[in-house]
Amino acid sequence: REALYLDDKYLDRPAIETFQRIRLYTDSIARFASQSPDAKSPYIYPLYGLGELPQSFARLSAIFSGTFMLRKPVDEIVYEGGKAVGVRSEGETARCKFVVGDPSYFSDKVRKTGQVIRAICLLSHPIPNTDNMPSCNIIVPSRWFKRQSDMYVCCISNTHSCAPAGKYIAIVSGTVETSDPRKEIEPVIKLLGPVDE
């Protein structure tokens, strides 16, 4: 997909916007390649899975004297002047410049605008037609299956310490567009080859 737009609406926008996104991508490749000579992409995936991301944030927070409150319930999001400025838990309030959280904590401030379907598939082989790559990200263009939005596949393996040797985890996802989301992802799952589970 051109410049990682989610659909073809970019075709009706000024070309400079797409150009700027492509430029950002190429600059990212150049920056990443300068740190790792074997780099073919600016995208990285943490070893041991996405659970490493919150741990990285916790370490970075500690460096800057931040505090992580683990295993504590969220009793209340604290607002001042309509802006979230903290979180109250068991009588303690952690104040902050902004709050990032799951939409369930802000049910009166969010509205559902869409839904995502996701399938996690276990494989005993790399995804076909990827040159036996142990990991890859694939964007399946919407026009392939007459959809409004693209579908995505992320494949990870033991190179990320996420699966045993010889096993692969393929995650298929996309925006739900019909009343039968499982049927929507079936054609993409077929592209994966035999699925163990």
Side-chain angles (χ1 to χ4, degrees), residues 130-147:
T130 61
D131 201 22
N132 292 322
M133 296 300 292
S135 68
C136 62
N137 284 299
I138 302 169
I139 300 173
V140 181
S142 57
R143 60 184 168 265
W144 281 19
F145 299 112
K146 296 182 174 78
R147 291 176 44 83

Side-chain angles (χ1 to χ4, degrees), residues 46-63 68 70:
L47 291 178
Y48 308 107
L50 293 176
E52 288 296 303
L53 293 178
Q55 289 187 50
S56 297
F57 284 119
R59 288 190 291 272
L60 189 60
S61 175
I63 290 171
F68 259 66
L70 303 174

Side-chain angles (χ1 to χ4, degrees), residues 10-118:
Y10 72 94
L11 294 170
D12 299 323
R13 305 279 307 149
I16 189 67
E17 294 174 9
T18 300
F19 174 79
Q20 289 170 334
R21 289 177 78 146
I22 292 171
R23 178 68 189 266
L24 176 63
Y25 179 80
T26 56
D27 288 350
S28 298
I29 290 174
R31 178 168 296 194
F32 189 68
S34 69
Q35 297 170 359
S36 175
D38 299 331
K40 294 180 176 69
S41 168
Y43 298 107
I44 57 175
Y45 193 89
L47 291 178
Y48 308 107
L50 293 176
E52 288 296 303
L53 293 178
Q55 289 187 50
S56 297
F57 284 119
R59 288 190 291 272
L60 189 60
S61 175
I63 290 171
F64 291 97
S65 302
T67 303
F68 259 66
M69 295 167 47
L70 303 174
R71 295 191 181 123
K72 299 214 29 145
V74 175
D75 296 331
E76 177 187 6
I77 305 295
V78 179
Y79 291 93
E80 289 178 3
K83 180 182 175 193
V85 295
V87 177
R88 187 166 294 124
S89 175
E90 297 176 330
E92 296 179 285
T93 301
R95 296 190 62 80
C96 56
K97 292 179 183 175
F98 61 89
V99 175
V100 177
D102 185 85
S104 62
Y105 291 109
F106 310 97
S107 57
D108 60 329
K109 305 226 180 268
V110 297
R111 64 183 170 82
K112 183 177 177 179
T113 59
Q115 191 172 346
V116 172
I117 176 108
R118 186 171 294 117

Side-chain angles (χ1 to χ4, degrees), residues 123 125-132 138 190-194:
L123 313 174
H125 57 83
I127 294 176
N129 304 311
T130 61
D131 201 22
N132 292 322
I138 302 169
K190 286 180 183 175
L191 297 174
L192 304 178

Side-chain angles (χ1 to χ4, degrees), residues 118-128 153-158 162-172 189 192-197:
R118 186 171 294 117
I120 301 174
C121 304
L122 303 179
L123 313 174
S124 293
H125 57 83
I127 294 176
V153 179
C154 173
C155 181
I156 53 179
S157 67
N158 70 318
C162 293
K167 294 292 182 180
Y168 301 80
I169 301 169
I171 304 161
V172 178
I189 291 175
L192 304 178
V195 175
D196 296 347
E197 205 171 316

